[in-house]
Every structure is written in C-alpha cells, then in structure tokens.
Amino acid sequence: MEPMALGGRLASSLIAPLVRKLFVADGPGAALVDRPVRMSDLVSFRGEKRSLGEKEVHRLAGRLVGGAADQPGEPPFPPGEQDAVTDALAARLLALGDLGMDDVQAVRLGHRELARRLSQAAPAAHGLSADAAYFLDSATEWACLHILEFFTRRSTFVARTLVEQTRTQSELIARIDELIVRTPRPDARDTAFERRYLPHLAQRHNHITIYGIDLRDSPDRWPLEVAYLSLEATGVQEDAPGPAPEEHAVADAARLPAEEALRTAPRVLLRGDAGSGKTTLVQWLAVTAARDGDRVPFVLPLRTLARTGPLPAPDGFLKAAGCPLTEPEGWAERVLTAGRALVLVDGLDEIPAADRHRTRDWLSALLAAYPGNQWLLTSRPTAVRPDWLAQEGFRELTLAPMREPEVATFVHRWHQAACAPEYAGALIDSLRTKRDLARLATNPLMCGLICALHRERRGYLPTGRKELYDAALAMLLTRRDRERGLAGTDEVDLGEEAALELLQRLAYALVLSGRTEMDTETAEGIVERRLPSLALPADPATAAAVLRTLLLRSGLLRRPAEGAVDFVHRTFQDYLGARHAVEEGHLDLLADRAHETQWEDVVRMAVAHARPRERASVLRRLLGRGTPRLALLALACLEHTPALEPAVRAEVEARAAALIPPRTPEDAKALAEAGPLVLELLPGPEGLTDAEALGVTVTASVLGADEPAGALGVLRRFRSHPDLGVRRQLVGTWSRFGTEEYAAAVLDHLDRDGLLITCETDAQRAALARMRPWQRVTFRGAHPAADMAAAVPGRDGVRLLDLCDNPLINDLGALLPFSGLDGLWLRGCGWAHSLDRLAPLPLTDLAFGEIADLSGLTALRQLRRLSLDQLLPDGDLTGVLPAGAPLEHLHLGTVALMRGHALRGLSAWPTLTSLSLGDPHGFTGADWREVAALPALTSLVLRRLMLEHGLRTMPELPGVRDLRLTSRHDAHLLSVLAERLPHVRRVVFRSRWDYADPRELHAQLFPAAEITYLRS
C-alpha cells in the first residue's frame, strides 16, 4: 500500500489530535482586535501558554510514523529508518514556531507551500533512502493540510472567510485524497508488473513435455505438479573412474534433493544425461519461485537465445525467451541489481560448441554486474570441461540415476496424470522382475517412454522388447533433438543409421571383452576404422570429433571418468552388441557363451534380431546343452521371437513346462538355482493350483536374497491368494526383503486368518505398528513388553502372543495390556514367572518350557489347551495343573515325563480329547491306566516311541481314532502299538526322513487307517 494512502487512513484518528495538540486553545473573544496574531504565539510549545515540549512533539511524530509503518501490506520505507524519519518529521513540526505569518496567511499559502517552508525552516534530513524521503515529504504535506483545516475552524476567523475557506479546503482535501491514492510510488509499476509476470510464468511452465513419443493414446504433456518427481543430485567426481550407474549406486551421503541445490550454493552448474530431468527441474524451480514470490525467476533456454541473435542483456531476457508481456523500462535490471533474481539458464550443450565460450563471457559479465542473485546452468556431462565455471564460483552437481522407489513413484504419478492408475501396479511388477527393463528405466525420459508403451497396449509391454528399444533409440538418437530444434549444433552431423553403426560396434567390443567400459583411445580407434564406410575422412581428428558428438548428443554414451567411455545403460550395450553380432553372423559364438550369466541378455536380444531359421538354430543349441538353466533361457527368448518354427517353439515350451511352475517346495528350491532369470518366467497366480502357487512363492522367496526387487514383484502378485500355505509362505519370508517395503507391498494386504506373523528386529516392530492389526504375533528376541504392546495397533484384539528367546520377560503381569489374549506361548523365556498374574486374561491356550516358576499355573482355570516341557514336582498332576480347568488338549514334553509316575492324577481331567507325550519310555501300568481312564480321548501324539518294555504295560485304547508319530520307528514297536490301538482310522507320520521304504509295512499294520506322510 502507498504511504500517502496510509496517511489518508490515519488522518482522522491520528493527524487531527496531533494538530490540536500543536496549537493552544483560544479563549472566548480572543483575537477579535484588528492586530493579527503571529504563528509563534499560537503554537503550544513556545510562549507563555506552553503545554507541549519538544519531547512531546517527537512522541506525536513517532505515533504518526509508527502508525503508517504498522499498516498491513508493503512497508513505506525500510524498517531501520523509522527513527530517522520520526526525528525529521518532528523537526519540521517544531519549525511551525519559526514562521513569521499568521493563520490566515498560512491558509492562503496552501498545504504544499506551507510544507515546503517547513522543510526549509527545519534542519535538512541527510542519509535517508529515496523511499523514506518520499514518505517524509508526503507526511509533511498531509500534516499541513490538517493544520490549515484546524486554522479555518478557529473562532477568530471572520465568518465569511471561515465559510469560504472551509468550502475551499473541503474540496481541496477531497481532491488531494483522490490524487494521493492514484499517484503510485516510483516502484509501483514494477510491483504491478510482477503481479502479472509471476502467475504467467508459473502457468507457462506448469507442465512436463516428453519429446519423441509418438503414441496414439498417450499425450506428451502432463501437469508439472502431478508428474514432477524429486530427483537427487551428487557432487561431480572427475578424478576417479566410476562404474555404470545401474551397477553401483552413488553413496547416500553424497546425494541431496536436486531442487535444494541452490540452497547449498548460489551458483550451480548441473550436469545430467539425456532425459535425466534437467529441463524439468528448471521448470519446477521457476514455478515454485514464482508462486512463493521470494525471487523473480528468469527461464533462459540457450537453444532459443542463440537462435534469436546476440545473447541478451537483462532488458531483453523476456523477449528472447518468448514472453509476451511488456515489462516497465529498466525492470529486469532493477530486479537483478536488488539481488532478487533466480536466473535459470538451460541447455548449455544445446548450442554449438563454438558459441559456448561466448556464452561463458556473457555469463561472466552478468555475474560481475549483478551480484547477489541465484544462478543455475544445466548441461549434459561432456559439453564442457569440469572446471569450466570454477572461477565464477559455480558448484558442480550431477543428477543421479533414479532408484527403485523413485521409479515406482514416477510410474504412479505418470499414470495418475494419464488417468490410467489401473495400469501402474502391473508395470511396477514388470520393472521389478525384468532386469534389463529395470536397467533401462533409470531416468524420467526412459520411464516416460516405458509408461507410454505400457499404456498404449492397455497394460502390457510389447511381446518382444525389441520394439521398446527401437523406440528408445529412435527417440534418443534423432527425434528428440529434432523436435527441440537442435539439429546442426555439433561438429559432425551424423544420421541415425550412421550413429547406430558406430554405437553397435562399440557395444560389441565391450561385450566381447566382458567389460562395460573402454578407454577413449580404443573407442576412437574403433570409430576411425569405420569412417570410410560413412563417407568421412579416416583420420584421428575426425574420429575424435565423431566420438565427441556421440558422447554429447546420442544419449547412449557417456564419459564416467577422464579418458573412459561407457554406455549409460547396460541394456543398450547388450542390445546394440547383439544387433552387431547378428549382422556379422556370430550367433554360434553367442550360443557357446550362453552359460555365462553376463551373456544372457545378449543372447536374448540376438534371437530377437535374428531371422527365423537363425533363431531356431540358436534355440536348438541351447536345448542341446541339457541344463535346466539354458532350457529356461530358451524359454525367455520366446518373448522376443514372433516368428519361429512351431516344432522348435513346442520343444522349448515342453522342456520348460517340466520346470515351471514348480509343483513341490523341493522343485521350487531346485528351480531357484537357475538364478534370477527365473523371476521373469514365473507365472500366476491365475491358472495355478494351490500347490503350484506355493511352489512359485517358494522360488521367489529363495531368490529374494539375491534379487529382492524382482522377487518382491512376483510375491506381490500372490498377496490376495486364498490358500493358507501360500499366505504362510508370504508371511514367513519377510526377513529376506526390505522391512518397510515388504510390509507395505505384501504383508499389509494379506488375509490374516490362520496366519502368525514373526517380528524379530526393531525395524520389523516399527513396521508392525504401521500395518493393519494382526491377531497372532510372534516376537523373537529381546523385546521389552512395553515396546511389544506399543508395536501392535489395537492390542486388545491380539488373540495369540508367541514369545521366543526373550530374556527380558520376567513378571508376566506385564502382558496384561493384551487384554484380549486367549493364547500365550513362551519359548526360551527362562526368567518368566507369576503365571497367576495372567488370570484376568481370557487365556485358553498356554504353552511354555523351562520358565522360572510355574507355581501360579493352578490359577489359570479357563485353559483348554496346555503344553509344558518342564520338570514337574513330585506328586499328582492335580497339584500342578489347574484343577477344574476344561482341558481338551495336553502336551507333556520329555522333561516333564522324567519323574516317576509322571501321569498320576491325569484322569482328573475327563474333558481331554487329545494327549501328546514327549518320551514315555519309563511309563508303568499305573500311568497307562490314567490314560485309559480318559473317556473322551480320541487323539494320541507320540513324539518318541517308547522302548518295548514301555509298551508291555500299555492297555488297549479302543477310543483312539487319530494317531500321530513324529520320529522314525522300529517295525516291531509299530506292530505292538498297532495291537494296542485297534480302532485307529488315521495315522500321520511326520519326520525329517522319507518314508518310501516302509510304506507297504505301514499299510499292513494299519489296514483300516488313512496314512499321511509329512516332512518336518
């Protein structure tokens, strides 16, 4: 808001009281004589009627200045000058007593002339800024206007003059009010223009453009706010060679969000490969700065500036960049002079090499003339040397390749912008399971291409990935630069075919050497030998120029260190190398090297490029080697073979069908030995039996240790599978994957029915707290009881708590926060005591072994299932177990059966239907009679089969229908046991050993029973 407008608002509340205090009140009939009264006699701070001192005048002036400064909006002058302005205004008001005129003369002068005379009479105000001086003059005029108004209201004025002057002053006040409001400050036009310019800039750059994509259903422009992905930048390290980005990630400590680069340094040179997101970052910085209003952004694409003539001075920035708005004269220079600008210079590599030195001179001149601004310059890595702008204080950063979480975020946002979110999940799974595809998707450009192809095909990538690579190469080599108007900016103008010819020879040389990087001299030699076939001079200078052009513009080659060359993606190296091998007829060589894992993708791409007869030959050679891994590689090659002899295709599919899907856990583990290639071939869950689905998840789980991203992509597909075995496999393999990622992608989506989740680490406990509630939880290790309770949302809904190897559990009353607990298992909790503290819980299932004290067990009278393996005190079981509890299942382990007459008193629980015994080798007839006295007993579990003398005293148990044996047994002992259990209808043998040999014997011993064999 303008200062005079502020004064107008304050006139009635501040100026009028100030004016009244500055003058003495006139008494009745005063000054009616002809002699006029001078101004010095009227003021209240001089003469005999003094009521104010200089301090009071200063205070009144301070109220006026402070009131104007405190109004909302832009301050009228810098805050540090408030005291100086107050002193100057007070001095001018005090000068009223020095004017040799009366009030009538003052009214005739008018407020402006009176203000000018006060300014002349007061001491000069030195050192004020232009804004402060302007405000002081305006405030003085405004005060004088009210002084004159005060004079016209004095009783000494002649009535006629009073009426006339009052009318005149009222008109004057109204006109001046209007004038003050309409008269802007010197910089008001700048402010008004920026109110138009900043929204225009934000709207202009609030979209992302993907060049080179020519797909029917995929637009090439997306809203920036929806599709923007925060990338990371890292410091440039030129003095040491580095590996390809897909093989070794940049250390986390060296990374920072790219949009925060200017917070670490006011001048940044940002390098990045083709499609890495440099221009998108420039757009994001421009849009956010325009909306925040803290800096005025100038977006200067060098490719546009270089075409329009000499590089512009500040007053030509907007015109050169194509902005249709006309700024006030000198506006850009004033912004830069004030240090308020954010200058974004995009695409140093997109202008001819001869113009780059001229560009540096232009930048240097601007930096010297306008310090204090922020500058960002973008370029591809090899456009200029590392220290090109070091003398100007530029910090060099490089955009880092996208990591898996960033790729997933990009895919989700891309599909959200494309209004096709239903396709995102399937694509993310493909990127996780298909390694060559994942290596390709490391920057926004390639991710955008993959997303577009995936959406174009309604959620499926091309049947053969050759189409994807062909589209990527066409985009990177020619179309992207042509559509951005960059043709003819390099030393050598190479067409697409010529560039491909050279690139594939470089790629094949790397493939043959088994490396991913070669020195520059070797690369120049390869290029030089091919120049005659391209109608170019075969000399070192031309070869060096051609290689520089490929490095700068192809988007496929890069220079990871001084004197070295490699491909930005290993995928492109394999693809181009395979193409050259096919052209040179080297398919037999590829087939011979197919057993080496680094040749897998080369073989697959070669099959894609080959003719049908050549494909058949390669696939037959792979099958002829007779190994499961090469049979699976042949199956993977079918993805790239649209035309193939039917007999060969059928043979490949038949060989692979014997391996995929695996039908048993053993087959699954054997399949995993073929390596990560398997992940791409695993089917399902559609069309699989429950056993096959379990086999697939076991295979993926085993491979999770080496390929967690790909394995997670497979397992994620099975998270809604209804089979309990599959779900148990999914919940049991958590430790092989990233804790948070696996919890979010798989565990939190599982049906909890019948599942028991195991939490071992602090990280898993933290992840558990962020998932939907689990009803059955295992905590393995030293977890404090309070931390366990905090980790389970809705802990009153936990039904089973399994604590394993936890030395921190002592007083079991600490578990009372799990108020809904009906099952508690204590394993390896040797310090636990106070079982009676659990009585308030609805506990029906308790299992423990070797705890500190079991004396409180008798208090748990609601138990239905009890399992214990601890040395019991002498006497009846009625003195140890809870009397009257409705026990249905009881397990007594080997340690609990060591004392004599171990089962004495067992018949006191006639509700028992199931009895499990550890090693009853010392049983007497009295013990067996306790068992025989159980009227409801139908199930008997023997962990170890006793010696023959233990069986002699065993009576016949006609009520037992279900027998379970958990170790390998002698045939004679089994025959004795079969005699004692004549009515058994189901026998389960569970062991770590196979039962292949005695199965015929078992059938003879238990002819009326259903026999099942399980592996422990």
Side-chain angles (χ1 to χ4, degrees):
M1 181 176 291
E2 303 297 325
M4 292 305 294
L6 285 171
R9 289 190 172 187
L10 293 171
S12 61
S13 62
L14 188 60
I15 300 294
L18 172 62
V19 170
R20 287 195 296 270
K21 290 183 178 182
L22 288 174
F23 297 92
V24 296
D26 53 331
L32 294 181
V33 298
D34 293 336
R35 183 173 58 85
V37 179
R38 294 298 175 185
M39 189 84 74
S40 58
D41 295 328
L42 298 176
V43 296
S44 60
F45 44 86
R46 293 183 60 173
E48 297 179 357
K49 298 182 179 181
R50 180 181 305 178
S51 61
L52 289 182
E54 291 186 7
K55 290 184 178 179
E56 286 76 9
V57 175
H58 273 83
R59 188 176 300 113
L60 291 173
R63 289 176 57 195
L64 171 62
V65 175
D70 291 340
Q71 292 296 309
E74 183 180 6
F77 54 83
E81 297 186 271
Q82 184 166 335
D83 292 339
V85 173
T86 299
D87 293 342
L89 181 57
R92 291 186 179 185
L93 294 177
L94 289 170
L96 283 168
D98 297 326
L99 297 181
M101 65 179 70
D102 59 20
D103 53 355
V104 176
Q105 290 172 332
V107 171
R108 287 175 181 172
L109 281 177
H111 73 287
R112 286 195 179 89
E113 182 61 19
L114 179 59
R116 187 182 68 80
R117 294 195 182 189
L118 287 177
S119 300
Q120 291 174 347
H126 297 293
L128 294 181
S129 65
D131 285 344
Y134 184 76
F135 173 82
L136 177 61
D137 291 341
S138 299
T140 304
E141 289 184 12
W142 192 243
C144 287
L145 183 62
H146 283 272
I147 288 171
L148 298 183
E149 171 68 13
F150 175 80
F151 287 163
T152 62
R153 297 180 182 272
R154 288 173 57 84
S155 62
T156 56
F157 237 74
V158 179
R160 180 185 55 79
T161 306
L162 180 60
V163 172
E164 182 181 347
Q165 292 288 34
T166 300
R167 182 183 300 114
T168 303
Q169 292 300 328
S170 296
E171 294 176 359
L172 182 61
I173 290 171
R175 291 175 182 177
I176 291 179
D177 279 343
E178 183 178 359
L179 179 63
I180 289 172
V181 172
R182 292 184 178 181
T183 302
R185 286 175 52 187
D187 61 349
R189 288 187 301 159
D190 291 356
T191 303
F193 173 72
E194 289 176 17
R195 291 194 184 111
R196 296 177 58 211
Y197 170 70
L198 295 178
H200 163 78
L201 191 75
Q203 182 179 13
R204 178 177 179 180
H205 292 286
N206 193 27
H207 65 268
I208 291 179
T209 300
I210 302 177
Y211 295 95
I213 293 180
D214 184 18
L215 301 174
R216 181 178 63 254
D217 294 332
S218 296
D220 63 352
R221 291 165 64 95
W222 308 105
L224 181 67
E225 290 180 327
V226 175
Y228 177 73
L229 176 70
S230 177
L231 301 175
E232 292 182 313
T234 182
V236 179
Q237 298 177 348
E238 293 289 339
D239 52 349
E246 67 269 20
E247 295 178 356
H248 295 278
V250 181
D252 289 345
R255 293 177 178 249
L256 75 158
E259 60 267 23
E260 296 183 7
L262 289 171
R263 296 183 184 178
T264 64
R267 301 174 182 180
V268 173
L269 173 58
L270 183 69
R271 300 177 187 260
D273 294 315
S276 60
K278 301 184 298 296
T279 299
T280 302
L281 175 62
V282 165
Q283 293 176 236
W284 181 259
L285 292 174
V287 170
T288 53
R291 291 180 176 173
D292 294 344
D294 52 349
R295 286 191 175 270
V296 178
F298 295 92
V299 180
L300 305 177
L302 278 176
R303 61 181 178 273
T304 302
L305 270 58
R307 285 200 305 266
T308 58
L311 296 174
D315 60 358
F317 280 179
L318 298 193
K319 181 178 180 182
C323 178
L325 304 180
T326 302
E327 73 269 31
E329 184 177 356
W331 167 76
E333 185 171 359
R334 286 193 292 275
V335 170
L336 287 162
T337 301
R340 299 171 51 224
L342 169 62
V343 187
L344 305 166
V345 185
D346 186 31
L348 178 62
D349 57 284
E350 297 175 352
I351 59 175
D355 291 338
R356 291 171 194 158
H357 293 290
R358 179 167 59 92
T359 301
R360 182 171 57 182
D361 294 339
W362 170 71
L363 281 171
S364 299
L366 290 173
L367 292 166
Y370 305 106
N373 298 286
Q374 290 185 344
W375 300 77
L376 177 74
L377 178 63
T378 70
S379 172
R380 291 192 187 180
T382 56
V384 292
R385 66 176 186 271
D387 59 348
W388 195 68
L389 285 173
Q391 292 184 350
E392 305 297 344
F394 274 76
R395 180 189 182 189
E396 293 203 14
L397 298 174
T398 297
L399 281 175
M402 295 164 62
R403 295 183 285 189
E404 183 185 337
E406 294 163 341
V407 172
T409 300
F410 181 96
V411 171
H412 279 298
R413 292 183 178 176
W414 193 99
H415 285 84
Q416 181 182 355
C419 300
E422 65 274 15
Y423 299 134
L427 178 55
I428 290 175
D429 287 343
S430 295
L431 289 169
R432 285 171 172 163
T433 57
K434 301 178 187 298
R435 291 171 296 155
D436 56 341
L437 191 63
R439 287 197 295 262
L440 192 62
T442 56
N443 66 52
L445 180 68
M446 296 309 301
C447 277
L449 174 65
I450 292 170
C451 289
L453 284 170
H454 187 259
R455 181 179 182 273
E456 173 81 0
R457 288 153 179 80
R458 299 294 188 271
Y460 294 92
L461 287 173
T463 303
R465 250 169 264 162
K466 180 176 180 294
E467 182 178 352
L468 174 63
Y469 299 132
D470 287 343
L473 290 172
M475 177 176 60
L476 291 173
L477 291 178
T478 57
R479 293 192 53 192
R480 189 164 187 263
D481 281 355
R482 183 174 66 245
E483 293 175 14
R484 301 172 78 192
L486 300 180
T489 61
D490 304 301
E491 300 176 57
V492 182
D493 188 10
L494 292 174
E496 181 179 352
E497 287 300 323
L500 275 175
E501 169 67 19
L502 296 173
L503 288 168
Q504 66 187 35
R505 286 186 174 272
L506 293 171
Y508 192 55
L510 287 170
V511 168
L512 288 176
S513 66
R515 302 174 60 190
T516 59
E517 183 181 297
M518 69 172 62
D519 59 76
T520 303
E521 183 178 352
T522 301
E524 289 177 352
I526 294 173
V527 170
E528 184 178 353
R529 289 191 291 274
R530 292 302 304 165
L531 291 180
S533 64
L534 304 177
L536 291 172
D539 57 74
T542 304
V546 169
L547 184 61
R548 281 196 300 272
T549 298
L550 292 174
L551 284 165
L552 186 60
R553 300 253 52 92
S554 71
L556 298 174
L557 284 184
R558 70 168 194 147
R559 187 171 60 199
E562 193 64 34
V565 174
D566 70 355
F567 282 83
V568 294
H569 300 291
R570 174 68 181 269
T571 293
F572 285 131
Q573 174 184 311
D574 293 342
Y575 177 80
L576 292 170
R579 174 173 170 163
H580 185 74
V582 171
E583 291 180 356
E584 296 296 317
H586 294 172
L587 289 173
D588 288 346
L589 171 63
L590 299 188
D592 291 339
R593 306 290 292 272
H595 64 283
E596 301 177 28
T597 56
Q598 64 267 30
W599 285 74
E600 281 180 1
D601 290 337
V602 181
V603 171
R604 295 168 68 179
M605 292 298 99
V607 171
H609 285 293
R611 292 180 289 272
R613 186 171 300 176
E614 294 170 330
R615 292 171 182 163
S617 175
V618 172
L619 294 176
R620 285 195 177 102
R621 293 195 60 172
L622 294 179
L623 296 177
R625 303 281 287 275
T627 65
R629 184 179 167 277
L630 291 183
L632 295 173
L633 178 58
L635 178 63
C637 289
L638 294 185
E639 176 188 1
H640 311 284
T641 54
L644 182 66
E645 294 179 24
V648 176
R649 183 182 297 276
E651 184 180 357
V652 171
E653 291 175 344
R655 292 282 294 275
L659 303 171
I660 297 179
R663 292 161 181 82
T664 66
E666 292 74 19
D667 292 343
K669 295 173 183 177
L671 178 63
E673 295 178 0
L677 170 69
V678 171
L679 292 172
E680 301 182 32
L681 306 175
L682 291 175
E686 297 79 9
L688 299 182
T689 65
D690 289 347
E692 291 169 343
L694 177 60
V696 169
T697 54
V698 169
T699 300
S701 298
V702 173
L703 290 171
D706 298 323
E707 288 286 336
L712 180 59
V714 174
L715 296 178
R716 184 177 176 274
R717 303 199 305 257
F718 289 81
R719 65 189 187 184
S720 299
H721 202 283
D723 181 65
L724 179 59
V726 172
R727 290 186 289 119
R728 283 178 174 170
Q729 178 63 35
L730 293 176
V731 80
T733 193
W734 190 8
S735 60
R736 297 175 183 264
F737 298 88
T739 301
E740 289 287 349
E741 184 180 19
Y742 192 81
V746 177
L747 296 179
D748 208 22
H749 300 267
L750 293 176
D751 178 2
R752 272 85 163 116
D753 187 31
L755 291 186
L756 179 65
I757 190 170
T758 298
C759 179
E760 298 183 272
T761 66
D762 292 345
Q764 288 180 339
R765 197 175 65 228
L768 187 67
R770 287 185 281 274
M771 284 190 274
R772 292 185 296 112
W774 288 80
Q775 290 75 43
R776 296 157 55 89
V777 185
T778 294
F779 286 101
R780 185 184 302 276
H783 299 275
D787 291 349
M788 291 188 292
V792 182
R795 56 178 177 265
D796 54 346
V798 176
R799 306 301 301 275
L800 173 63
L801 193 61
D802 177 17
L803 306 182
C804 183
D805 301 327
N806 192 337
L808 302 181
I809 294 298
N810 40 54
D811 186 350
L812 293 174
L815 303 180
L816 291 177
F818 296 93
S819 58
L821 202 65
D822 59 23
L824 176 63
W825 300 345
L826 303 172
R827 298 177 289 161
C829 301
W831 296 100
H833 61 81
S834 303
L835 285 168
D836 56 318
R837 295 286 305 278
L838 301 174
L841 298 178
L843 203 62
T844 61
D845 183 1
L846 177 64
F848 62 87
E850 297 296 339
I851 64 174
D853 180 19
L854 54 75
S855 60
L857 179 60
T858 56
L860 305 181
R861 301 178 181 278
Q862 302 180 71
L863 292 180
R864 294 181 178 276
R865 298 179 59 85
L866 176 62
S867 175
L868 58 90
D869 192 10
Q870 182 159 340
L871 188 63
L872 303 179
D874 291 335
D876 288 358
L877 291 177
T878 54
V880 180
L881 307 186
L887 288 180
E888 298 173 0
H889 170 79
L890 175 65
H891 168 71
L892 298 175
T894 300
V895 176
L897 298 176
M898 285 184 175
R899 67 183 179 88
H901 305 292
L903 298 186
R904 182 184 301 167
L906 179 65
S907 57
W909 288 272
T911 54
L912 282 173
T913 61
S914 174
L915 180 64
S916 174
L917 301 174
D919 185 5
H921 63 276
F923 274 17
T924 65
D927 292 314
W928 284 118
R929 284 193 293 275
E930 293 284 350
V931 175
L934 298 174
L937 186 67
T938 59
S939 176
L940 183 63
V941 181
L942 299 177
R943 304 291 177 180
R944 293 184 184 178
L945 193 57
M946 69 295 296
L947 298 177
E948 184 175 354
H949 71 267
L951 288 179
R952 285 199 207 99
T953 57
M954 179 181 180
E956 185 175 292
L957 301 176
V960 174
R961 299 289 188 271
D962 190 345
L963 174 64
R964 295 173 181 264
L965 302 173
T966 58
S967 62
R968 202 167 188 177
H969 306 297
D970 179 83
H972 175 65
L973 295 178
L974 284 176
S975 64
V976 174
L977 184 62
E979 294 175 0
R980 302 295 193 274
L981 305 174
H983 298 147
V984 165
R985 294 296 177 263
R986 183 168 184 261
V987 181
V988 176
F989 291 92
R990 179 184 292 272
S991 176
R992 289 174 294 176
W993 299 277
D994 287 329
Y995 275 97
D997 294 336
R999 292 194 179 194
E1000 183 176 348
L1001 171 63
H1002 295 163
Q1004 294 175 358
L1005 293 176
F1006 302 98
E1010 173 190 348
I1011 301 177
T1012 302
Y1013 299 92
L1014 301 177
R1015 292 286 294 273
S1016 299

